[in-house]
Amino acid sequence: MTPTQLLDAIVPLVTDLTADLPEDERFRRLLTGLRSVMPCDAAALLRLEGDQLRPMAVDGLSTDTLGRRFRVADHPRLRALLEAPGPVRFAADCGLPDPYDGLVEGVAGHLPVHDCLGCALHLADGSGRPWGLLTLDALQPQRFSKVDLKVLSTLASLAAATVAAGERIGQLTTCMERYRLAAQPASSRLIGQSAAHRALLKEITLVGGSDLCVLIQGETGVGKELVAQALHAASPRADQPMVSINCAALPDTLVESELFGHVKGAFTGATADRAGKFELAHGGTLFLDEVGELSRQVQAKLLRVLQSGQLQRLGSDRERHVDVRVIAASNRNLAQEVKAGRMRADFYHRLSVYPLQVPPLRERGRDVLQLCGHFLEQNRARLGLGGLRLEASAQAALLAHHWPGNVRELEHLVGRSVLRALGRAHAASGAVPRILSLSAADLELPATVPAGMPAAREEVGVAHLESTTPLREAVDAYQRQLIGQALQRHGHRWAPAARELGLDRGNLARLARRLGVDSGTPATHGRRGQHQPTSG
């Protein structure tokens, strides 16, 4: 690459430093610019969070990669990059396992001999701790043999500046709520990039910093408790306790004691004074899960605490004051419960100062693949496997399923499917391959569009498909229509269409080519004025 070509690639990235861009778009542009300077088959930007690396942007890797968390101790190549003072190029015959084995698009199973390099990103914050990593993989051995590592160092410095600029803008626009969310353990993170999921995250950021009562509603298994944890983490009470209670699991005879506490002798078996959940949560947050299961009598007693913060332990006349933020959740439609007389209207309105609806998984599009990647990585680490990947048939089946049990159903499905795939591998060869692939057969999901769900087919715009339409045809038709509609809404510009669909632009272009999507008459866009789909 000539100095002029290098400058042409770097100048737009420098311009982006001052642009008010969404984080994912900023990182996507960074990878696109990087690949224009150093052509490769896959690139990734990963952020170090505790002892794990979280993919922030990928190009040339499967969508489920974004949902995975790479534990540094389990991946020697990533650990070597974090510890190195500069860029590292791994020899083609390097014996260290590759973290992206099974995740590179277009490669089925174990990665062949290939070229790999990367470097750590350091921000000028004085911590000395790397922010994360840039990694590049090329399927052609020796692709990077003539790469000047000084150029990669320069690009790494620019990447670090891009990250720093994004964080400064984020601090100005969202204060600290967003970064309290980012500080949560990986197990409690909310994963996804769909429009519905982003809208939920914005709502969490908006109300998280307040003391308002929040009522979280959504179907079973959507992750209401994770949303409650995120709200607590985004609040000024984040360093105080969050106490949870499952209202559905308590008989009426114990609810008052659990919530308000009791004094010695209040009832048979009360051998000592005991603080209730409200007192334990003093200064922090009380999460009332399945609040719709409480009786009207208990609702009346809770209402007083919600209004004044005053309570009495069971068997005591002494008034106690608590400072607690209440977050409640229910999979019932509580407004309908009020109309049916099963919930007090005043109690409902006190709880639902800020109602928050968690979208079902079927409305989150390709988030299912990211979530699946997260659960696959958990199972890989738990079972000590080399790698787990989704075959194309499995991805299509996941995208076509209606998910009545939502994220919880997906989590359990992945666990079962991994065991099935292990059993299949043992039966076939008596050994477990380095990369274990999950097929649609391992998932055991319905092989056709369910006949009893006309509303679901109309939602995705494929109502004309019959219930006997083969799964792959139904999924392809669905994806083809979604891509075409997104392109039309954005004047046939690929970058904004990709953002709406929660995809990397290069991945969208490749998918569109496979599906034969007609790009129409695209409007000129982008800094180079190109409109044809490219891989980056």
Side-chain angles (χ1 to χ4, degrees), residues 213-215 288 291 306 326 328 347-354:
C213 282
V214 178
L215 176 60
L288 301 174
V291 70
L306 294 176
V326 173
F347 181 62
Y348 168 71
H349 291 299
R350 177 61 66 175
L351 284 179
S352 61
V353 176
Y354 197 101

Side-chain angles (χ1 to χ4, degrees), residues 48 82 95 144 167 190 243 301 341 343 365 388 400 403-404 448 450 465:
L48 183 62
L82 286 170
F144 301 135
E167 294 202 346
L190 296 166
V243 178
K301 294 179 179 179
M343 175 168 276
L388 286 169
W403 300 111
T448 58
L465 294 175

Side-chain angles (χ1 to χ4, degrees), residues 233-253:
S235 74
R237 300 172 181 263
D239 57 347
Q240 297 298 317
M242 176 178 172
V243 178
S244 301
I245 184 168
N246 185 347
C247 301
L250 294 174
D252 285 347
T253 54

Side-chain angles (χ1 to χ4, degrees), residues 245 249-260 267 274 314:
I245 184 168
L250 294 174
D252 285 347
T253 54
L254 292 179
V255 171
E256 286 189 61
S257 174
E258 285 294 318
L259 290 173
F260 310 130
F267 52 85
R274 181 176 180 272
L314 198 62

